[in-house]
């Protein structure tokens, strides 16, 4: 592990630290910077914290509740106690009360345990959602990064091609003016130059669009980009293995599974109203001038109390049915997520395999056309080829190189999509957490 990758932002654990500054804008450096500053990820970290605090609230139900009560005020009393004391009118006294009450729940129909299980599942879901967001954000960064590099190469290729076309056009024009060539050759050469200019304009526009997208995603402009690895050795060996890995490790699938666990616990919690509740209550109280009788009274009690609701307007029944519908919804959502993840992986794998199979042929095409152009150039010197033949060969070589450049970057993007579907893309950058 190189020193420049230490002290980074390990988002999977919600810990933020500042990445060290490096000169090269490698893909991993850009990803680190983007993950550390991305507002959506910061919001997801806060949502994760909310779930953790909800869990802590649920866990509070495992502990006793301790209350200190106090009251003071004027009391006018006329009752059997004041009458027994010989008072015939209201007795006006300052009443004071203090109480110390400890309540420990022994059984509440599995409400607390179910609430804890539900909250723990929601924390797991939040963790997986954060993981998914880091994967998708990193993938977006990689895609934007690679497209900038792709169009940088295409612009350079178009510039070189335009330069060659201009040189050949000058030769065609010179030959035509000297009476050796034909005027139609000039027109064809001019058309090729115009097409080369149009290609350059289009590629520059695409490059600027790629830069704009890069700026939107990363918050910075691209400088000194370095072509990254494909990590072919990290990819599954087959489509079936890729789909299995995605269904097992994709964070969206894991989040849906955690949501299903939460719904199951909520269903159990919703039935807590059908059970009696038992509390152990210790009550220590002190009163002064109570009920019109001067003096101090002290009481201590330790009681087992039961509360069993017999009717509450159908609330428990409706709550149970609601929880059951939510559980069914989470199951359907889980099935839908698995289908979408499977489709996404199959598409990514198909793209990867297609480009992978095309690459050798595209390279061979470039090699063959380059050899043809060289042969045409030699033949032109001895009068066996025309300048238009050279223009044709240059244009074909340009198109072949263009296809190869596009395929090389499509290959990288498709490989990264496979890793992201497996929930393993960010891991490849060897992110470390500051202890």
């Amino acid at each position: 592990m190189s020193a420049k990758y230490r002290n980074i932002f390990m988002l999977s654990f919600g810990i933020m630290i500042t990445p060290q500054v490096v000169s090269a804008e490698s893909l991993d450096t850009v990803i680190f910077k983007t993950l550390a500053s991305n507002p959506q990820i910061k919001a997801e970290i806060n949502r994760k914290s909310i779930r953790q605090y909800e869990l802590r609230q649920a866990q509070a139900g495992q502990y006793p509740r301790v209350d200190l009560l106090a009251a003071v005020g004027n009391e006018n009393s006329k009752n059997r106690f004041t009458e027994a004391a010989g008072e015939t009118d209201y007795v006006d006294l300052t009443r004071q009360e203090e109480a110390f009450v400890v309540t420990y729940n022994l059984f509440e129909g599995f409400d607390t345990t179910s609430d804890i299980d539900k909250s723990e599942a929601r924390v797991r879901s939040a963790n997986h959602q954060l993981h998914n967001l880091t994967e998708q954000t990193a993938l977006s960064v990689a895609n934007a990064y690679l497209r900038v590099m792709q169009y940088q190469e295409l612009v350079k290729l178009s510039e070189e091609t335009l330069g060659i076309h201009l040189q050949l056009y000058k030769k065609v024009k010179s030959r035509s003016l000297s009476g050796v060539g034909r005027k139609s050759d000039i027109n064809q050469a001019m058309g090729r130059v115009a097409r080369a200019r149009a290609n350059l304009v289009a590629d520059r526009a695409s490059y600027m669009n790629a830069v704009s997208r890069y700026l939107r995603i990363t918050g910075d402009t691209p400088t000194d980009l370095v072509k990254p690895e494909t990590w072919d050795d990290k990819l599954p060996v087959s489509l079936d293995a890729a789909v299995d890995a995605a269904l097992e490790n994709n964070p969206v699938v894991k989040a849906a599974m955690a949501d299903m666990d939460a719904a199951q616990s909520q269903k159990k919690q919703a039935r807590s109203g059908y059970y009696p509740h038992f509390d152990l209550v210790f009550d220590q109280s002190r009163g002064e001038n109570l009920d019109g009788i001067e003096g101090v009274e002290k009481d201590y009690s330790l009681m087992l109390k039961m509360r069993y609701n017999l009717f509450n307007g159908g609330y428990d029944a409706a709550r149970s049915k609601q929880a059951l519908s939510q559980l069914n919804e989470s199951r359907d959502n889980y099935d839908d997520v698995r289908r979408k993840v499977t489709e996404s992986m199959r598409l990514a794998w198909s793209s990867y395999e297609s480009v992978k199979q095309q690459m050798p042929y595209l390279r061979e095409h470039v090699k063959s056309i380059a050899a043809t152009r060289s042969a045409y150039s030699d033949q032109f010197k001895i009068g066996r080829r025309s300048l238009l033949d050279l223009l044709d060969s240059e244009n074909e070589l340009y198109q072949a190189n263009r296809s190869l450049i596009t395929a090389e970057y499509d290959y990288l993007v498709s490989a990264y999509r496979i890793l992201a579907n497996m929930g393993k893309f960010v891991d490849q950058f060897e992110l470390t957490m500051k202890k």
Side-chain angles (χ1 to χ4, degrees):
M1 176 67 64
S2 60
K4 70 178 181 179
Y5 296 137
R6 302 188 189 282
N7 298 332
I8 58 168
F9 185 32
M10 184 55 181
L11 289 161
S12 297
F13 296 90
I15 295 179
M16 186 191 305
I17 53 182
T18 304
Q20 294 185 358
V21 177
V22 294
S23 57
E25 286 288 312
S26 59
L27 178 55
D28 37 12
T29 302
V30 176
I31 285 178
F32 296 160
K33 290 166 61 177
T34 303
L35 295 184
S37 61
N38 186 276
Q40 289 183 318
I41 290 179
K42 290 181 179 180
E44 195 65 38
I45 291 173
N46 284 321
R47 279 191 284 270
K48 174 186 171 183
S49 297
I50 291 171
R51 294 305 187 191
Q52 290 173 328
Y53 288 123
E54 287 177 351
L55 172 60
R56 184 63 190 90
Q57 293 175 49
Q59 291 170 336
Q62 296 177 313
Y63 298 92
R65 173 174 174 171
V66 180
D67 294 299
L68 181 63
L69 309 176
V72 61
N74 189 65
E75 180 182 64
N76 293 316
S77 303
K78 183 178 180 181
N79 51 48
R80 58 191 178 91
F81 299 109
T82 58
E83 292 174 354
E87 299 289 344
T88 59
D89 202 356
Y90 282 93
V91 177
D92 186 5
L93 296 175
T94 300
R95 176 172 177 148
Q96 299 181 39
E97 294 181 58
E98 300 93 29
F100 178 77
V101 183
V102 179
T103 305
Y104 186 70
N105 178 261
L106 300 177
F107 180 73
E108 81 303 37
F110 309 105
D111 182 77
T112 297
T113 55
S114 298
D115 196 22
I116 291 174
D117 291 342
K118 177 184 69 177
S119 299
E120 287 177 341
R122 287 179 173 176
V123 169
R124 292 197 303 274
S125 177
N127 283 329
H128 297 316
Q129 292 289 357
L130 177 58
H131 180 195
N132 179 64
L133 185 57
T134 61
E135 290 287 312
Q136 295 306 314
T137 302
L139 184 60
S140 295
V141 171
N143 189 48
Y145 186 100
L146 292 172
R147 294 312 177 192
V148 169
M149 294 194 69
Q150 174 185 341
Y151 283 106
Q152 281 179 336
E153 290 194 35
L154 291 177
V155 167
K156 183 179 179 181
L157 176 64
S158 293
E159 289 174 342
E160 293 173 351
T161 302
L162 176 60
I164 293 172
H165 277 59
L166 287 171
Q167 292 176 5
L168 294 176
Y169 167 71
K170 289 179 181 179
K171 292 182 180 181
V172 171
K173 184 177 181 181
S174 177
R175 288 167 62 87
S176 179
L177 293 176
S178 63
V180 178
R182 295 170 298 181
K183 186 176 180 180
S184 61
D185 292 344
I186 297 179
N187 293 332
Q188 290 188 48
M190 288 177 61
R192 303 295 176 84
V193 170
R195 178 59 183 270
R197 290 186 188 278
N199 288 336
L200 178 57
V201 170
D203 286 337
R204 283 175 175 170
S206 297
Y207 171 72
M208 293 306 300
N209 291 338
V211 170
S212 297
R213 184 170 183 268
Y214 182 97
L215 177 61
R216 176 180 62 82
I217 293 174
T218 67
D220 204 354
T221 54
T223 55
D224 300 326
L225 306 187
V226 182
K227 199 167 185 178
E229 300 180 66
T230 57
W231 296 305
D232 288 330
D233 58 325
K234 305 296 183 182
L235 300 180
V237 296
S238 66
L239 173 59
D240 290 340
V243 171
D244 290 343
L247 293 177
E248 181 179 357
N249 299 310
N250 188 284
V252 177
V253 174
K254 290 183 176 181
M257 185 180 297
D259 290 340
M260 193 163 53
D261 292 340
Q264 182 66 54
S265 297
Q266 184 167 324
K267 177 177 175 292
K268 185 176 181 181
Q269 183 184 13
R271 295 188 59 82
S272 62
Y274 293 117
Y275 296 88
H277 291 203
F278 294 91
D279 294 306
L280 185 64
V281 181
F282 170 75
D283 190 337
Q284 176 182 348
S285 62
R286 177 185 179 278
E288 186 173 348
N289 300 334
L290 305 181
D291 298 325
I293 304 299
E294 293 187 74
V296 175
E297 294 184 13
K298 295 182 180 180
D299 295 292
Y300 302 89
S301 66
L302 180 63
M303 303 182 68
L304 177 64
K305 295 185 177 181
M306 183 199 79
R307 180 176 60 83
Y308 191 15
N309 177 260
L310 300 179
F311 180 72
N312 64 351
Y315 173 85
D316 292 327
R319 185 186 179 196
S320 295
K321 291 178 180 179
Q322 177 193 22
L324 178 59
S325 295
Q326 289 173 332
L327 176 59
N328 291 333
E329 178 189 23
S330 68
R331 288 170 174 168
D332 293 336
N333 180 65
Y334 176 71
D335 292 339
D336 183 57
V337 165
R338 285 176 61 88
R339 290 184 181 185
K340 289 180 179 178
V341 167
T342 299
E343 178 191 26
S344 179
M345 177 57 88
R346 293 182 70 90
L347 291 173
W349 185 266
S350 176
S351 176
Y352 171 76
E353 282 293 309
S354 175
V355 178
K356 184 179 180 180
Q357 293 173 18
Q358 291 179 47
M359 296 280 280
Y361 302 114
L362 293 173
R363 291 192 182 100
E364 183 62 30
H365 186 209
V366 170
K367 183 179 178 181
S368 299
I369 297 303
T372 300
R373 182 188 66 170
S374 179
Y376 277 18
S377 179
D378 293 337
Q379 292 169 6
F380 170 75
K381 294 176 183 178
I382 60 176
R384 296 182 58 186
R385 290 290 175 182
S386 68
L387 283 172
L388 291 178
D389 289 333
L390 294 184
L391 283 172
D392 288 338
S393 65
E394 287 294 340
N395 186 63
E396 189 172 356
L397 181 59
Y398 166 74
Q399 294 296 339
N401 277 315
R402 186 179 186 87
S403 297
L404 179 59
I405 291 171
T406 300
E408 287 175 343
Y409 285 99
D410 287 347
Y411 181 71
L412 285 169
V413 170
S414 60
Y416 293 167
R417 283 176 59 197
I418 291 173
L419 290 169
N421 275 318
M422 294 165 54
K424 301 292 185 181
F425 180 52
V426 175
D427 290 347
Q428 305 310 314
F429 296 106
E430 298 181 332
L431 293 176
T432 58
M433 182 177 66
K434 185 177 181 181
K435 300 296 183 180

